[in-house]
Amino acid sequence: MTSTLSPAHPPSAVWAIDLGHEPSRSSIDPVQDWLSLLANSEQIRRASYTRLCRRKSILTVNGRFPGPTIYARKGDVVTVDVHNQGDKNVTIHWRGVDQPRNPWSDGPEFITQCPIQPGASFTYRIVLSWEEGTLWWRAHSDFDRATVHGAIVIRPRRGTSYPFKKPHKEIPIFLREWWKGNVRQLLADALQTGGEFQPSDANTINGQPGDLFPCSRDGTFTLPVEHGKTYMLRLINAALANEFFFGVAGHRLTVVGTDASYVKPFTVDHVFLAPGQTVTALLRADRASRGLRNTRYHMAARPLSTNPLVLFNNSTATAVLEYTDAAAPPSLATPDFPILPAINDCAAADAYTARLRSLASEAHPARIACAPDENCRGPRSNRLAASLNNVSFEAPRHTDILGAYYHHRSAGVVREADFPSNPPLPFNFTADDLPPELRLTARGTRVKVLEYGAVVEVVLQDTAILGAESHPIHLHGYSFYVVGTGSGNFDDGRDPAGYNLVDPPYQNTVAVPKGGWSAIRFRAENPGVWFMHCHFERHMVWGMDTVFIVKDGNGAEEKMMPPPLGMPRC
């Protein structure tokens, strides 16, 4: 993205999107300035892991859980050969990578590609451009990302440096859930009944529930540190359902980045991450200078619940920070425990999010454009669904939208290229009263077509349909500036006056607050087919998604690249 449009530039298109989850009808040429070309090989295969006293087979990459970390530098192009030796179709998404002009390697199943079938292979080409910091890769097929995911660490270009003192060491830390049962069956059961998904049995840090859980003490993730040194924690929320607070007992965290973009540093006792989001934070191992005597300290992740109507796992996952240069034997020290917000403390999450500001420095400027026979178990015997502007997105199952669009066959795939620019019926979105007209949502493969170069503003409005709750909304192919957020109903005559058009955070996922709204802006300068969806996996499955099709521009560097050889076939 090379736009130098200022934050105050008025958008050429503005859409208001209300986010609802409600009953639905049952029937219903290559980059020339590469710094390097890195090659990786990933094998999708099953492996056995034991958690919570029970052993089970899970889908993995190279037998590892979490999967291997990809290390690169800003501007690199990384190729990854994915060999599917598993027992089901799968795709891989490089989350937060814009992939300029290259949607063919973006990865969401049936949106930009057909899945990689068992026994088949596909080479992904990951084009890094402006990104620098912490991102991650994940499966983007069914619920496979529950175990198929890993970190992407993007360091500064050679000859440049971090906008802060280089840390002693960097550590990826994944926050997510664990189910004792088969996650594939969890999805199948929910889709069959039309009801809620079974909550997880534990939350985890780097794949381990921690020493508060049975059969888990020996496997608890431990981070060894030395007094006086600074450590970079690359925090990633890979959860399917949970937002998390994260903190370290006896230590504060200095937040320096989010979603591969630097922020003005600020120091906190805990951070907050919605599913899909990343936070880069510095931790100084300064126990002695702070008068602390222990040698071991708990790191902990506690979920945030914003909808009391939804069942969830409220357990706290733990890991251990251990001073290895301490005089006392670590085995004799009981870890201190951090103080984290309560599981329903939405104000704490909003307060953290409000502190995010782009670095907006000379080196890192803010460049913003402005079936009747089904027995469904959902409410009123209907099927649970989720929607954007009362449209519950339905992905095709026999081809992908990108291939159909590129080969001019989209008429048979995309039912309507007219995703509504506004909710069909204005009402008090955050009140409990639901207009009868919106009690059932329509299914459809409806997309929004954007002209190349259009400046787009999207207002994302939470609704109280089946209970208000926060929504982590992720856009593929773009990061965007979060220019505003607030509580209640968005007021287009009042709220834009309070937008942050100076140093808004640059993110690929925005946590739309419970009972509130968020406004994002981006310039449509990346041609292709790009998915936008809620990162609560159940909401994505229920249809809280849509697709932006960005047309080609006139210049040679404004057109989508042609498809590579070997694209998977459906």
Side-chain angles (χ1 to χ4, degrees):
M1 305 284 282
T2 58
S3 170
T4 57
L5 197 63
S6 71
H9 194 288
S12 53
V14 179
W15 287 296
I17 295 180
D18 74 288
L19 305 99
H21 40 95
E22 63 270 355
S24 69
R25 291 184 174 87
S26 300
S27 58
I28 348 224
D29 281 305
V31 178
Q32 299 298 313
D33 59 347
W34 296 354
L35 289 182
S36 62
L37 181 63
L38 311 176
N40 299 266
S41 181
E42 295 190 350
Q43 185 185 85
I44 308 292
R45 59 184 175 88
R46 301 198 72 82
S48 292
Y49 276 78
T50 300
R51 299 289 187 272
L52 305 177
C53 313
R54 181 180 297 183
R55 192 168 183 83
K56 73 172 184 176
S57 174
I58 64 173
L59 205 62
T60 69
V61 168
N62 298 347
R64 296 169 60 181
F65 170 70
T69 298
I70 294 175
Y71 292 92
R73 292 189 179 273
K74 183 177 180 178
D76 281 352
V77 173
V78 181
T79 60
V80 179
D81 299 321
V82 175
H83 309 282
N84 187 0
Q85 301 301 320
D87 56 356
K88 69 177 301 295
N89 294 343
V90 72
T91 66
I92 303 294
H93 169 52
W94 318 97
R95 202 184 177 291
V97 179
D98 279 6
Q99 293 281 27
R101 303 172 49 228
N102 184 36
W104 306 101
S105 285
D106 190 47
E109 184 180 36
F110 296 115
I111 304 298
T112 61
Q113 69 167 97
C114 296
I116 306 168
Q117 299 177 18
S121 301
F122 180 59
T123 297
Y124 287 95
R125 191 164 164 273
I126 309 162
V127 182
L128 300 174
S129 50
W130 64 269
E131 302 91 351
E132 185 178 328
T134 307
L135 292 175
W136 59 297
W137 56 265
R138 51 156 288 192
H140 213 299
S141 46
D142 297 332
F143 271 17
D144 298 330
R145 79 172 173 94
T147 55
V148 178
H149 57 258
I152 303 176
V153 171
I154 308 169
R155 293 164 174 156
R157 295 181 188 269
R158 295 192 184 278
T160 65
S161 62
Y162 295 112
F164 43 82
K165 185 178 179 180
K166 183 179 179 180
H168 171 66
K169 190 176 181 180
E170 57 191 55
I171 306 96
I173 295 182
F174 276 94
L175 312 178
R176 57 167 307 277
E177 311 101 335
W178 180 267
W179 281 264
K180 292 180 180 179
N182 187 320
V183 177
R184 187 188 309 180
Q185 191 61 45
L186 168 81
L187 172 62
D189 291 345
L191 292 179
Q192 180 181 19
T193 66
E196 266 288 4
F197 290 85
Q198 174 189 334
S200 64
D201 296 292
N203 296 307
T204 63
I205 297 178
N206 278 357
Q208 294 284 354
D211 51 11
L212 302 182
F213 287 82
C215 307
S216 301
R217 182 176 297 276
D218 292 342
T220 299
F221 173 73
T222 299
L223 171 61
V225 299
E226 297 178 32
H227 177 72
K229 294 185 177 179
T230 298
Y231 298 82
M232 179 188 289
L233 306 185
R234 296 186 178 274
L235 298 160
I236 301 165
N237 185 345
L240 273 65
N242 284 338
E243 301 171 292
F244 284 108
F245 295 110
F246 174 89
V248 183
H251 299 74
R252 305 198 78 200
L253 299 171
T254 300
V255 177
V256 295
T258 181
D259 287 357
S261 178
Y262 294 120
V263 299
K264 289 181 171 67
F266 61 98
T267 301
V268 292
D269 293 321
H270 61 265
V271 300
F272 169 74
L273 300 91
Q277 288 185 322
T278 70
V279 168
T280 303
L282 302 179
L283 180 147
R284 182 166 174 78
D286 56 357
R287 58 176 282 278
S289 60
R290 300 185 63 190
L292 302 176
R293 296 183 178 182
N294 210 340
T295 60
R296 306 177 78 226
Y297 300 85
H298 267 128
M299 299 183 282
R302 175 180 293 164
L304 169 70
S305 171
T306 61
N307 187 346
L309 301 179
V310 176
L311 295 176
F312 79 107
N313 183 315
N314 66 358
S315 62
T316 299
T318 58
V320 174
L321 181 143
E322 179 177 278
Y323 281 82
T324 58
D325 57 347
S331 60
L332 300 180
T334 300
D336 290 343
F337 205 85
I339 298 175
L340 294 175
I343 60 172
N344 60 351
D345 194 346
C346 296
D350 294 343
Y352 169 84
T353 301
R355 299 188 66 178
L356 295 173
R357 294 286 187 272
S358 286
L359 199 56
S361 66
E362 183 176 351
H364 301 279
R367 294 187 293 252
I368 178 179
C370 268
D373 59 341
E374 289 183 306
N375 180 21
C376 292
R377 299 181 185 176
R380 296 183 290 275
S381 298
N382 287 296
R383 179 175 293 277
L384 280 170
S387 66
L388 297 175
N389 284 353
N390 212 41
V391 175
S392 186
F393 185 81
E394 187 172 38
R397 303 304 295 178
H398 303 291
T399 188
D400 61 291
I401 295 176
L402 173 60
Y405 169 69
Y406 184 83
H407 295 292
H408 306 291
R409 297 195 302 266
S410 57
V413 177
V414 177
R415 298 178 186 175
E416 296 175 272
D418 64 343
F419 177 84
S421 296
N422 289 282
L425 178 67
F427 65 101
N428 186 352
F429 300 109
T430 57
D432 293 332
D433 295 333
L434 175 64
E437 300 93 322
L438 298 181
R439 288 181 179 170
L440 294 174
T441 182
R443 299 283 287 178
T445 309
R446 302 179 68 174
V447 306
K448 173 62 67 176
V449 178
L450 303 177
E451 296 294 329
Y452 183 89
V455 182
V456 181
E457 177 177 313
V458 181
V459 178
L460 299 153
Q461 172 73 59
D462 180 38
T463 73
I465 301 172
L466 294 187
E469 65 181 303
S470 60
H471 295 278
I473 301 297
H474 172 51
L475 176 60
H476 291 227
Y478 291 87
S479 283
F480 45 74
Y481 284 92
V482 184
V483 295
T485 189
S487 60
N489 296 308
F490 176 77
D491 186 331
D492 59 4
R494 176 195 65 204
D495 290 325
Y499 281 178
N500 175 11
L501 302 180
V502 177
D503 57 356
Y506 196 48
Q507 301 174 256
N508 60 62
T509 302
V510 58
V512 180
K514 174 182 179 178
W517 57 271
S518 293
I520 66 174
R521 286 187 183 181
F522 64 95
R523 186 194 285 269
E525 291 183 323
N526 191 9
V529 171
W530 306 108
F531 199 30
M532 185 174 78
H533 61 88
C534 182
H535 225 276
F536 286 139
E537 211 73 358
R538 69 188 192 281
H539 289 178
M540 186 176 73
V541 169
W542 289 338
M544 194 176 286
D545 332 311
T546 192
V547 168
F548 288 114
I549 295 180
V550 180
K551 293 182 178 180
D552 283 347
N554 296 321
E557 297 300 311
E558 298 175 351
K559 299 183 184 300
M560 182 169 51
M561 293 180 183
L565 297 176
M567 285 295 297
R569 296 180 178 273
C570 292

